[in-house]
Amino acid sequence: MESRTTEKNTLIFRIVGSIFLVLGIIFLAVTLKLWLRGSIPGMMTADTGGSYCTLEPIGSERLGDTYEGAQAEDGYTFYRLDFQVTNEGDETRYMDNYYGIYFNEDNGRYNDVLDWWGTEEEESRPRFLFEDYDYTYLPAGRIGTYQQVVQILDGVKSFTVDYYPGDSSGERISFEMTIE
């Protein structure tokens, strides 16, 4: 009788031990995955939840000393900068949220590029990413064109563009843009 109880206890101990071992392995695997994702850039997949847009320069156009009735600052010329925007996330990115573009923010040449704020009339007109559409947002998985008018210091041929691809990730991406 005692050997049966011992066998039963041993079987129960093995089952409970196996359950704890499996749970421990699962916990360890999840912890390791989260640690690797947070500590090694590029390890695992990029965090593309929400809206995550990449920006790529596709050209520029010199607009001159005046643009839509406004005169450029002394020593500056208006340019239109064109960017291809790709929403690699799983949510829509609204254009109002995409003004997170900065020029020469950290390299001491901050005054090479000045933002230009249009007239109230110009600002009230929607900017469309897609031809013949009546919305100003970029759906998940779509590619659109974003244009920004700026003033660039005469003689400057290239500058740094910084942008934030995600709504809340805090990640900043930089690239060098050359004007025509």
Side-chain angles (χ1 to χ4, degrees):
M1 193 70 138
E2 208 174 296
S3 81
R4 228 180 212 194
T5 305
T6 305
E7 287 176 24
K8 196 175 190 182
N9 288 343
T10 303
L11 180 62
I12 291 173
F13 178 74
R14 285 184 179 175
I15 292 172
V16 169
S18 297
I19 291 172
F20 277 111
L21 180 64
V22 168
L23 290 175
I25 290 171
I26 291 171
F27 177 77
L28 182 62
V30 168
T31 302
L32 183 62
K33 178 181 177 182
L34 291 174
W35 177 77
L36 285 174
R37 185 178 207 167
S39 65
I40 302 174
M43 187 74 173
M44 312 306 226
T45 60
D47 183 12
T48 58
S51 59
Y52 186 92
C53 291
T54 57
L55 189 71
E56 182 179 323
I58 55 175
S60 63
E61 181 181 343
R62 186 180 192 281
L63 301 174
D65 295 335
T66 59
Y67 178 71
E68 292 192 0
Q71 181 66 37
E73 300 286 327
D74 285 339
Y76 288 84
T77 303
F78 282 112
Y79 281 83
R80 186 191 74 224
L81 307 179
D82 300 319
F83 302 97
Q84 177 178 298
V85 183
T86 305
N87 187 346
E88 297 179 5
D90 57 9
E91 291 180 7
T92 296
R93 181 70 178 252
Y94 293 94
M95 284 301 292
D96 291 343
N97 294 339
Y98 206 74
Y99 294 115
I101 299 175
Y102 304 94
F103 303 100
N104 292 320
E105 190 175 63
D106 293 332
N107 66 7
R109 295 173 38 203
Y110 184 75
N111 290 327
D112 284 359
V113 180
L114 303 177
D115 285 327
W116 176 74
W117 307 103
T119 63
E120 283 185 31
E121 177 184 329
E122 193 274 331
E123 286 296 314
S124 67
R125 283 184 284 154
R127 297 178 179 172
F128 301 122
L129 280 171
F130 301 104
E131 198 70 38
D132 301 325
Y133 283 81
D134 61 350
Y135 52 80
T136 58
Y137 58 88
L138 184 59
R142 297 290 300 266
I143 297 172
T145 301
Y146 177 72
Q147 297 176 333
Q148 185 167 354
V149 175
V150 296
Q151 298 179 65
I152 298 178
L153 184 64
D154 294 340
V156 171
K157 297 295 178 202
S158 67
F159 47 88
T160 304
V161 177
D162 299 316
Y163 73 97
Y164 295 86
D167 285 341
S168 59
S169 69
E171 175 186 10
R172 181 173 76 177
I173 298 177
S174 299
F175 59 84
E176 194 75 13
M177 183 164 189
T178 304
I179 57 173
E180 300 171 0

